[in-house]
């Protein structure tokens, strides 16, 4: 019985290590590092500029994407249901606009690589030389 419990613990530990870390990415021309609170404020629409004053647009992966869930667990601390309620309230009151969404990391990386005014997030293993990591 102890061996079975030990085996189950090891499997759970290894699966948690296997998950890739989600990172915030931007165009290589963005020469800044973002804090967790800055990332949260940008992706919740509370800020529209980087700390250096550069206008920025955030792009989200579509809901149901594992990287999106991990990102919001880490930065906004909101579930998908909480995000839906948050954005519904902002849009209804005229105080916000839903962020654009893309269906894949490849599409997001392509958009960011060709537009210095966009930031997003992907799993760290998917980062290419066409983008830079702004927050880990």
């Amino acid at each position: 019985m102890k061996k079975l419990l030990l085996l189950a613990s090891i499997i759970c530990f290894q699966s948690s290590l296997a998950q890739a870390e989600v990172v915030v990415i931007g165009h290589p021309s963005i020469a800044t590092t973002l804090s967790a609170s800055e990332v949260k404020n940008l992706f919740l629409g509370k800020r529209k500029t980087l700390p250096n004053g550069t206008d920025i647009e955030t792009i989200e992966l579509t809901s149901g994407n594992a990287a999106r869930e991990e990102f919001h667990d880490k930065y906004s601390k909101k579930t998908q249901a909480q995000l839906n309620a948050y954005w519904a309230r902002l849009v209804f009151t005229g105080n916000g606009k839903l962020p654009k969404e893309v269906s894949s990391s490849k599409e997001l990386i392509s958009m960011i690589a060709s537009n210095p005014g966009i930031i997003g997030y992907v799993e760290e293993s998917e980062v290419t030389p066409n983008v830079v990591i702004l927050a880990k």
Side-chain angles (χ1 to χ4, degrees):
M1 182 67 171
K2 287 183 181 180
K3 287 182 181 179
L4 185 59
L5 185 58
L6 179 61
L7 180 61
S9 297
I10 291 170
I11 290 171
C12 288
F13 179 71
Q14 285 179 339
S15 67
S16 69
L17 290 178
Q19 291 179 348
E21 183 179 4
V22 172
V23 295
V24 179
I25 59 171
H27 190 272
S29 67
I30 299 174
T32 191
T33 301
L34 300 173
S35 70
S37 64
E38 290 167 334
V39 170
K40 177 180 179 178
N41 288 333
L42 286 165
F43 279 87
L44 291 179
K46 295 178 180 179
R47 289 193 62 173
K48 301 281 186 203
T49 61
L50 294 175
N52 66 7
T54 304
D55 289 336
I56 208 72
E57 179 182 0
T58 58
I59 305 290
E60 293 262 9
L61 293 171
T62 54
S63 65
N65 185 300
R68 178 182 173 131
E69 291 175 17
E70 184 179 340
F71 171 81
H72 283 290
D73 283 346
K74 183 176 181 178
Y75 289 104
S76 74
K77 311 288 190 225
K78 294 185 182 295
T79 64
Q80 188 58 51
Q82 290 170 325
L83 284 169
N84 290 344
Y86 174 83
W87 284 109
R89 183 173 17 92
L90 284 181
V91 170
F92 180 73
T93 60
N95 293 321
K97 186 174 100 174
L98 280 171
K100 291 181 185 175
E101 293 184 354
V102 295
S103 59
S104 73
S105 297
K106 287 181 181 180
E107 184 180 357
L108 180 60
I109 290 169
S110 175
M111 289 176 72
I112 290 171
S114 63
N115 186 336
I118 295 175
I119 63 171
Y121 53 85
V122 295
E123 291 184 5
E124 188 171 16
S125 62
E126 296 177 306
V127 174
T128 68
N130 300 332
V131 296
V132 294
I133 297 174
L134 305 176
K136 272 190 170 186

